[in-house]
Amino acid sequence: MTRRGFIQASAAAGVAAAVSAPWQPSLKALAAKGKKMGGSKGQWLPATCQGCTSWCASEVFVVNGRAVKTRGNARSKVNGAASCPKVHLALQQVYDPDRIKVPMKRTNPKKGRDQDPGFVPITWDEALDTIADKIMELRKNDETYKYMLMRGRYSYMRDILYAKMTKIIGSPNNISHSAICAEAEKFGSYYTEGYWGYRQYDVANSRYIILWAADPLSSNRQVSYYSSVWGDVMDRANIAVVDPRLSISAAKADEWLPIAPGQDGALAAAIAHVLLTQGLWYKDFVGDFKDGENRFKTGQEVNEEDFEEKFTSGLVKWWNLELKDKTPQWAAKLTGLPVEQIKRVAVAYGKAAPNCMSWVGPGNCMQTRGAYTALICHALNGLTGGVDNVGGTLVANKAYLSKFPSEKPFMDEMAKRGTKHKKIDQRGTLEFPALKKKPGKAVVTNRAAEGILEKKPNEIKVAIGYMNNFTFSCQQPDRWERALASIPFVAHITTNASEFSWYSDILLPDAHHMFEKWGYVKSAGNGYRQVPLLQPVIKPMWQSKIDETEIPYLIAEKLAQRGFPNLLDYCKTVEDPETGKAPKDEKEFALYCLKYTTQKLWDPAQYKGGDKFKGWEDFRQAGVWNSDPYPYRKRWGHMKTKTKMFEFYSETLKAVLEKHAEKYDVSVDKVMEVCKYQARGEMAFIPHYEEPYLVGDPKEFPFIHVDHKSRLNREGRSANCTWYFDFKDVDPGDERWKDVAKLNPIDAKTIGVKDGDRVRLVSPTGQLECIAKLWEGTRPGTVVKCFGQGHWVYGRVASKVFGKVPRGGNNNDLIPAEYDRLSGSSARNGVTRIRVEKL
Amino acid sequence: MPQTRVESELRARAQAYRLLADCYYPPGNGLRHSVAALGATLKSLLPQAAGPAAQMLQSIAEQTALENLQVEFAKLFVGPFHLLAPPYGSVYLEGENQVMGESTAEVRDLFQEQGLDLEEGFEEMPDHIAVELEFMHFLASKELAAMELGDEDAAVQYERLQTGFLGSHLGRWIGPFADKILQSAETDFYRGLAELTRDFVVWNDDKLKKRLQDTQ
């Protein structure tokens, strides 16, 4: 009997059978299968954890089809057998009784926070028919660009649902979540060394590590690997943590620099000043004065001709424009740090060159002027020669993956017209340069809410979101509630219904990435790149299907039935590399997509490097491919910048900024002004300090809000797991089953708040309620609160009174929708002032 | 062969488990007939069931649309969001708000010992309320069949299995499960169903225990 049968079964049928012959049991759910005594002892099966973007190669212990525990995959050269605390929560996610189990449709047409959607189960057929009809309506009216796809957590199977399907339908509006994650970080490395991506950190060989609001023992990236080696790392390296709160990494560090929020650029400038004035820059990478005499003297300009650079570009310009006056004394006033500490850290860091690193975490650059903070902090890796070097910051090793077939032959005239429209997130407008390699190429996720509400550049009529929850994870999420309510048709593909689902018309049950899905991801660490496989290690729970492959294939079939076969025709081009056969159903398609894109990793005939396998089955059983070891210093002099060098004066940034300004016939200064940056003239092209941009009058809002992530946050999806709350005190200062705002006891005394008091945090744009915690790990003048709680729907654990009272508070309710407009990133750290009201 | 009183009671019991299980499927057009049959079946066994059964029929009649019951069914037993009355044994027996726990595995083992397993394509958990009620229906039916064949030993064996299953699984969570429905359900239909299921299972549990004691 099919599940559809379960849904549709008429109870009367059961009665008839039961009444006529009760001694013959009438079975519906059960069936005679022959006696079986005792199950198997279980086995470890390879999987991948996507609880954060470490993307560790994992293993799941499966007994009789039931996942019971997890560990790291020892074959991985990145994380090995190590795993972090958060991976275990995946078990509570996959077996959460609140998961979406079957496709559902909304029965209440009204949308609002006070409108119960009234979801009822429907068949997959009905759900897919509805979605296909909505898409066909757009095609009938030649308004395919009014279709939108919103992406949250993804694997590299994403291309099908996210890119190919959207383009073949004919829309430009595939909007990823990346800009609410950590894109500003990538801005720093791109406009210095031409690398748009997360770096890997060669901690095993490092002698000095500066962590800028990065907390590698808690979150992002390679948490498992770093957690397993950190003790050894501490034996070899000094570690300095720059963070207004005592993070778990800070608690174990040699130096904690509890900096005033948003002042990291000042500290970085002062460190650079010390490195140069004391002659501690790494000469084999940066070069030297022609006569060997150090002319970097405080307050004095240097003649460019006197210095000969090796693998860098623009050092003297940088000194003259930015660094010459940026003394530790100057920085101490802004940062609130002692002059001696700044000097001590700078000198020790410089003496460790080149085996040292400046590790830029999202916390110090996901800020309104964060692009320049990312630049100046990352630029230190250039000065010390730690970039691409032993013990420094590395890029990802090469992985040999194949692209999916091109969608172009399957795009008809309407699709070609449709995709030429502007994107709904307003990227590339004067106010949102979003410079990813070119102007307007980076996503501005949170801005899409305005795009939808203002119908600018156009209206959105049909939207699909997957594994995203912008109504919770974006700043000022109430804007997203209004935006979603304004879209006539929204479908949500996800494991747990969330605040986004509340505003949806159709819900589709998604496969859990760690246990139920085919796919691959890529991650780097420990000097290696790995490609771990996502595999269904258990039978998918209930009726869940795979978001990125199975579901678009099923939609493609429905579109073909309606006279639009292009997407299905496209899907059929993804053939099984072993047999050459085209997929005949969604399950085959999901598998072939994975085999197709990873063929060079497992097919001996196409071997390019790294681990070698006998074939697909061999690779599948191993569950992970590892690259060759890291080729240190290979990029020196060959970086993907304008000059090929590490740029202290970014010709690369200058070119794109000027291009963007030209497009709107304005000056770069004007771009800086409308985008809220302070830089004018040449300053726009160099790493430099900018004053933090904080929302709120200090008199009315005396504290600065500091957001951080939990060691247990599986992105925003841990809040329905009891273990999250049972073990919440693994986050320094936090408490079990509570959501606390951590105040320094000095501040708390001033405002008359005691430990355990209920408080309301209020910002200029919103408020939340939580519990006050008096904690010395908070820098005075700030209020530290972890992100992750505050769901008003989601599940039985996540909210206190379902639909009404959240458990804890959502930090995003406090944070104004501000942006680091050069990278397109959402500003979420050091954005707003708040006040604390005792309840 | 004329039926004994015991056999006719057993037959009613087996029927009742089948019909109760059917009521935990999404409400469809046959629901009214099932409830009517359930009321009639329980009349002789459990006089106090008449009230809730009538209440359930009345509630079906009062619904302007089947959709109301479908929405309620979803909120109680399917979701999404906060599942109001999780229909899974493990949620109550293991206290971790989880499906597919150790107790779920035990239930499946019990099925397999009887040569049963979940039907291919059946996408619910082994300890779903409808499945556990069906398993009781199966065991009661087997007991009846054994009796009719005059195989007393086998009949006692099946009776023991029923007592065992109620004692270690269904009987242990039916109370808190029914409470959750009673706390949250807005329709008399599901309130009636909760009472009926709980009262019947508890009555049957007592009855079986007593019978086994007498046998011993």
Side-chain angles (χ1 to χ4, degrees):
Chain A
M1 179 173 177
T2 62
R3 167 70 200 205
R4 202 176 303 149
F6 184 90
I7 296 289
Q8 292 169 339
S10 143
V15 176
V19 170
S20 62
W23 52 90
Q24 286 297 324
S26 156
L27 300 180
K28 286 163 82 172
L30 294 164
K33 295 276 171 86
K35 279 198 188 200
K36 243 200 273 179
M37 304 291 279
S40 77
K41 290 197 179 122
Q43 57 180 328
W44 286 102
L45 297 173
T48 299
C49 178
Q50 290 193 284
C52 69
T53 42
S54 296
W55 293 349
C56 293
S58 308
E59 288 186 318
V60 180
F61 194 66
V62 179
V63 185
N64 288 331
R66 198 166 64 91
V68 297
K69 55 185 173 179
T70 73
R71 68 181 182 191
N73 184 340
R75 295 179 195 88
S76 159
K77 289 181 181 167
V78 175
N79 60 275
S83 54
C84 78
K86 61 173 87 62
V87 64
H88 306 289
L89 272 67
L91 292 165
Q92 286 206 323
Q93 292 181 318
V94 71
Y95 292 142
D96 184 347
D98 292 339
R99 271 182 75 173
I100 303 178
K101 301 173 188 69
V102 297
M104 305 192 91
K105 73 173 176 195
R106 185 185 194 93
T107 55
N108 177 5
K110 287 189 200 147
K111 290 181 183 176
R113 206 186 262 220
D114 59 347
Q115 296 293 326
D116 185 330
F119 284 112
V120 293
I122 53 171
T123 61
W124 266 102
D125 248 349
E126 185 181 342
L128 295 164
D129 279 335
T130 310
I131 292 168
D133 284 343
K134 297 290 175 189
I135 293 169
M136 289 310 288
E137 208 174 303
L138 296 180
R139 289 199 51 91
K140 196 179 90 192
N141 298 324
D142 195 3
E143 47 184 24
T144 54
Y145 55 94
K146 295 182 180 175
Y147 169 81
M148 177 182 188
L149 188 284
M150 285 167 264
R151 184 184 89 193
R153 174 48 51 229
Y154 62 91
S155 80
Y156 287 93
M157 299 294 99
R158 66 187 183 188
D159 289 30
I160 304 296
L161 178 65
Y162 173 71
K164 311 294 182 188
M165 177 167 142
T166 310
K167 287 178 187 170
I168 290 169
I169 288 170
S171 173
N173 290 316
N174 49 353
I175 303 297
S176 85
H177 79 287
S178 301
I180 61 172
C181 183
E183 291 297 276
E185 253 190 75
K186 299 176 184 172
F187 191 93
S189 58
Y190 187 76
Y191 289 104
T192 48
E193 55 166 309
Y195 179 69
W196 188 277
Y198 298 122
R199 282 76 53 216
Q200 53 171 319
Y201 299 95
D202 194 16
V203 294
N205 299 305
S206 197
R207 290 174 50 229
Y208 206 102
I209 297 171
I210 302 180
L211 294 170
W212 299 92
D215 189 12
L217 301 184
S218 281
S219 58
N220 284 1
R221 310 200 144 69
Q222 303 321 329
V223 180
S224 304
Y225 165 62
Y226 297 131
S227 298
S228 69
V229 298
W230 210 248
D232 298 334
V233 172
M234 286 166 65
D235 289 345
R236 283 186 292 264
N238 277 312
I239 300 170
V241 177
V242 184
D243 201 321
R245 71 163 182 122
L246 186 75
S247 63
I248 190 75
S249 302
K252 293 172 187 293
D254 299 284
E255 301 261 4
W256 176 35
L257 298 93
I259 195 165
Q263 301 289 359
D264 301 42
L267 177 60
I271 291 174
H273 183 95
V274 172
L275 293 179
L276 292 174
T277 52
Q278 300 211 12
L280 293 170
W281 73 89
Y282 187 63
K283 296 176 181 69
D284 286 350
F285 183 67
V286 181
D288 201 357
F289 285 97
K290 286 174 184 163
D291 59 5
E293 185 196 332
N294 185 4
R295 290 180 175 77
F296 293 125
K297 295 200 164 47
T298 301
Q300 290 182 20
E301 290 208 356
V302 169
N303 189 340
E304 281 184 51
E305 273 78 66
D306 292 345
F307 197 97
E308 192 169 2
E309 288 184 87
K310 274 190 158 170
F311 299 105
T312 63
S313 170
L315 176 70
V316 175
K317 275 201 185 96
W318 187 30
W319 166 262
N320 290 341
L321 285 164
E322 169 67 6
L323 298 178
K324 67 179 169 38
D325 302 314
K326 299 289 161 47
T327 60
Q329 288 78 3
W330 166 83
K333 285 182 196 137
L334 296 166
T335 58
L337 300 170
V339 173
E340 282 316 309
Q341 190 180 29
I342 298 173
K343 282 187 184 164
R344 185 170 66 235
V345 169
V347 169
Y349 172 64
K351 284 187 173 164
N355 311 116
C356 60
M357 64 178 77
S358 168
W359 180 328
V360 182
N364 88 337
C365 53
M366 293 299 279
Q367 304 194 6
T368 308
R369 291 165 175 163
Y372 288 107
T373 310
L375 271 180
I376 194 164
C377 293
H378 189 69
L380 296 178
N381 292 306
L383 278 186
T384 57
V387 65
D388 212 41
N389 204 354
V390 178
T393 65
L394 316 177
V395 301
N397 314 46
K398 189 133 182 62
Y400 309 98
L401 293 149
S402 308
K403 286 184 178 166
F404 281 105
S406 169
E407 70 284 0
K408 288 213 170 105
F410 302 88
M411 289 172 67
D412 59 12
E413 286 310 309
M414 193 190 296
K416 284 178 195 158
R417 268 198 310 281
T419 49
K420 286 200 179 98
H421 283 258
K422 291 203 164 83
K423 289 185 188 256
I424 196 69
D425 62 351
Q426 304 182 350
R427 73 183 71 171
T429 54
L430 175 61
E431 296 83 3
F432 289 93
L435 309 175
K436 182 182 178 182
K437 305 181 186 180
K438 288 178 189 167
K441 290 291 175 194
V443 62
V444 196
T445 314
N446 200 14
R447 190 66 186 174
E450 268 75 27
I452 295 165
L453 283 165
E454 295 166 3
K455 295 186 172 39
K456 199 171 155 188
N458 56 255
E459 187 186 12
I460 295 296
K461 283 188 168 174
V462 176
I464 298 179
Y466 84 94
M467 289 309 284
N468 68 324
N469 188 16
F470 297 161
T471 30
F472 181 87
S473 56
C474 285
Q475 291 70 45
Q476 282 190 271
D478 51 300
R479 295 151 48 256
W480 275 98
E481 290 183 47
R482 292 198 303 278
L484 290 183
S486 76
I487 301 175
F489 180 80
V490 180
H492 199 202
I493 308 168
T494 189
T495 52
N496 275 72
S498 63
E499 289 80 2
F500 191 101
S501 316
W502 191 259
Y503 290 88
S504 298
D505 298 275
I506 294 271
L507 304 181
L508 299 178
D510 200 356
H512 190 286
H513 68 266
M514 188 155 169
F515 308 93
E516 302 170 332
K517 179 175 177 175
W518 286 115
Y520 79 82
V521 290
K522 298 177 277 187
S523 56
N526 193 29
Y528 288 92
R529 185 78 166 278
Q530 66 176 355
V531 178
L533 292 180
L534 286 69
Q535 306 192 47
V537 294
I538 60 168
K539 184 172 160 271
M541 293 294 284
W542 295 289
Q543 288 190 37
S544 46
K545 289 191 183 291
I546 302 173
D547 43 22
E548 291 171 325
T549 47
E550 290 185 345
I551 292 174
Y553 186 93
L554 291 167
I555 294 173
E557 284 186 330
K558 293 290 185 187
L559 292 174
Q561 284 166 15
R562 286 159 176 75
F564 179 58
N566 302 34
L567 182 58
L568 187 61
D569 291 345
Y570 171 79
C571 292
K572 298 281 185 193
T573 63
V574 184
E575 295 168 347
D576 181 353
E578 287 187 300
T579 64
K581 281 186 185 155
K584 64 174 189 300
D585 60 27
E586 80 278 14
K587 290 196 185 320
E588 284 190 356
F589 180 65
L591 179 60
Y592 296 176
C593 281
L594 180 58
K595 289 171 78 175
Y596 185 98
T597 46
T598 58
Q599 188 178 1
K600 287 177 194 149
L601 306 185
W602 55 263
D603 185 348
Q606 297 200 13
Y607 180 75
K608 301 244 180 219
D611 288 355
K612 202 167 185 178
F613 296 99
K614 287 181 222 134
W616 164 252
E617 195 51 29
D618 192 24
F619 177 39
R620 198 192 63 71
Q621 283 177 21
V624 60
W625 171 90
N626 298 286
S627 72
D628 292 316
Y630 195 83
Y632 293 110
R633 295 178 295 277
K634 206 174 160 188
R635 296 170 60 249
W636 287 14
H638 307 281
M639 289 173 174
K640 288 180 180 166
T641 54
K642 281 262 162 204
T643 59
K644 309 269 185 252
M645 303 295 167
F646 188 100
E647 294 181 342
F648 296 122
Y649 179 99
S650 182
E651 295 288 355
T652 313
L653 178 55
K654 185 179 182 178
V656 282
L657 268 176
E658 284 177 346
K659 197 168 173 192
H660 181 72
E662 262 168 44
K663 187 174 161 195
Y664 293 98
D665 199 18
V666 296
S667 64
V668 171
D669 281 359
K670 182 71 184 171
V671 174
M672 290 290 113
E673 186 193 327
V674 299
C675 293
K676 306 189 179 181
Y677 298 96
Q678 294 177 304
R680 297 293 181 269
E682 299 251 81
M683 295 301 285
F685 316 130
I686 59 162
H688 68 272
Y689 166 71
E690 297 238 337
E691 288 168 22
Y693 181 95
L694 286 160
V695 177
D697 178 352
K699 283 189 196 119
E700 202 186 333
F701 302 100
F703 296 102
I704 299 175
H705 171 242
V706 172
D707 172 278
H708 72 96
K709 307 295 180 254
S710 167
R711 299 181 90 179
L712 300 178
N713 272 15
R714 294 183 59 77
E715 303 190 309
R717 299 192 178 88
S718 298
N720 211 41
C721 302
T722 53
W723 293 341
Y724 181 73
F725 300 96
D726 283 338
F727 297 101
K728 190 70 181 73
D729 54 357
V730 298
D731 294 315
D734 278 7
E735 296 195 12
R736 300 173 65 226
W737 287 94
K738 282 183 189 161
D739 197 13
V740 299
K742 289 161 279 193
L743 284 89
N744 189 286
I746 299 164
D747 289 334
K749 198 175 174 191
T750 314
I751 58 169
V753 167
K754 289 191 210 64
D755 200 61
D757 281 351
R758 274 205 72 75
V759 290
R760 183 185 293 123
L761 308 185
V762 185
S763 80
T765 56
Q767 58 182 48
L768 62 82
E769 289 178 16
C770 60
I771 308 288
K773 171 74 186 280
L774 272 52
W775 191 53
E776 290 80 359
T778 295
R779 181 194 163 80
T782 69
V783 173
V784 174
K785 191 178 159 301
C786 188
F787 171 77
Q789 300 185 50
H791 285 279
W792 49 275
V793 295
Y794 202 82
R796 86 170 32 241
V797 185
S799 46
K800 219 169 195 172
V801 182
F802 174 74
K804 295 187 177 77
V805 186
R807 184 182 297 284
N810 180 5
N811 284 1
N812 286 327
D813 283 331
L814 289 180
I815 308 173
E818 290 287 339
Y819 304 86
D820 170 48
R821 290 160 187 251
L822 289 187
S823 67
S825 298
S826 284
R828 63 158 186 262
N829 299 92
V831 184
T832 190
R833 295 180 177 279
I834 58 169
R835 67 168 177 267
V836 181
E837 296 173 356
K838 193 173 157 181
L839 292 171
Chain B
M1 187 168 67
Q3 283 191 340
T4 63
R5 199 180 57 82
V6 172
E7 278 175 12
S8 91
E9 185 188 296
L10 188 49
R11 178 182 174 130
R13 216 154 35 84
Q15 279 179 16
Y17 273 116
R18 173 71 270 162
L19 292 162
L20 278 171
D22 291 339
C23 288
Y24 288 96
Y25 282 70
N29 293 326
L31 190 60
R32 217 185 64 79
H33 299 288
S34 298
V35 177
L38 185 61
T41 306
L42 287 178
K43 212 178 213 169
S44 58
L45 298 180
L46 195 65
Q48 71 264 37
Q55 175 188 328
M56 287 165 72
L57 277 177
Q58 178 69 21
S59 176
I60 297 175
E62 279 167 7
Q63 301 301 325
T64 45
L66 194 58
E67 197 173 85
N68 295 344
L69 282 183
Q70 286 168 342
V71 170
E72 174 112 311
F73 177 86
K75 284 188 181 166
L76 290 169
F77 310 128
V78 183
F81 306 114
H82 175 164
L83 196 53
L84 296 176
Y88 309 104
S90 60
V91 169
Y92 304 90
L93 300 181
E94 299 183 40
E96 287 274 15
N97 194 41
Q98 291 283 286
V99 298
M100 288 296 274
E102 289 288 339
S103 62
T104 318
E106 282 168 24
V107 169
R108 192 166 168 228
D109 287 347
L110 290 172
F111 295 167
Q112 291 184 338
E113 283 168 20
Q114 293 306 309
L116 298 174
D117 207 342
L118 292 180
E119 176 70 271
E120 204 64 44
F122 180 84
E123 284 141 345
E124 267 299 350
M125 304 304 111
D127 58 350
H128 188 278
I129 182 70
V131 188
E132 293 207 354
L133 289 167
E134 181 171 314
F135 187 54
M136 284 301 292
H137 160 73
F138 170 85
L139 295 174
S141 301
K142 294 299 259 187
E143 184 191 348
L144 179 58
M147 261 187 172
E148 284 176 350
L149 289 170
D151 187 346
E152 282 284 327
D153 287 353
V156 170
Q157 194 54 38
Y158 280 113
E159 204 162 272
R160 286 213 170 102
L161 285 166
Q162 291 170 68
T163 317
F165 187 67
L166 289 178
S168 55
H169 293 281
L170 182 58
R172 285 177 61 210
W173 64 277
I174 194 66
F177 170 62
D179 288 346
K180 280 208 186 288
I181 302 177
L182 290 168
Q183 278 160 22
S184 316
E186 286 174 8
T187 62
D188 282 345
F189 179 82
Y190 284 107
R191 278 201 290 272
L193 179 61
E195 283 182 31
L196 211 60
T197 316
R198 180 193 57 203
D199 293 353
F200 175 70
V201 170
V202 170
W203 168 83
N204 186 215
D205 197 16
D206 289 346
K207 184 106 185 160
L208 284 169
K209 277 183 195 146
K210 232 169 126 200
R211 282 264 306 276
L212 274 176
Q213 272 171 8
D214 294 348
T215 317
Q216 281 160 0

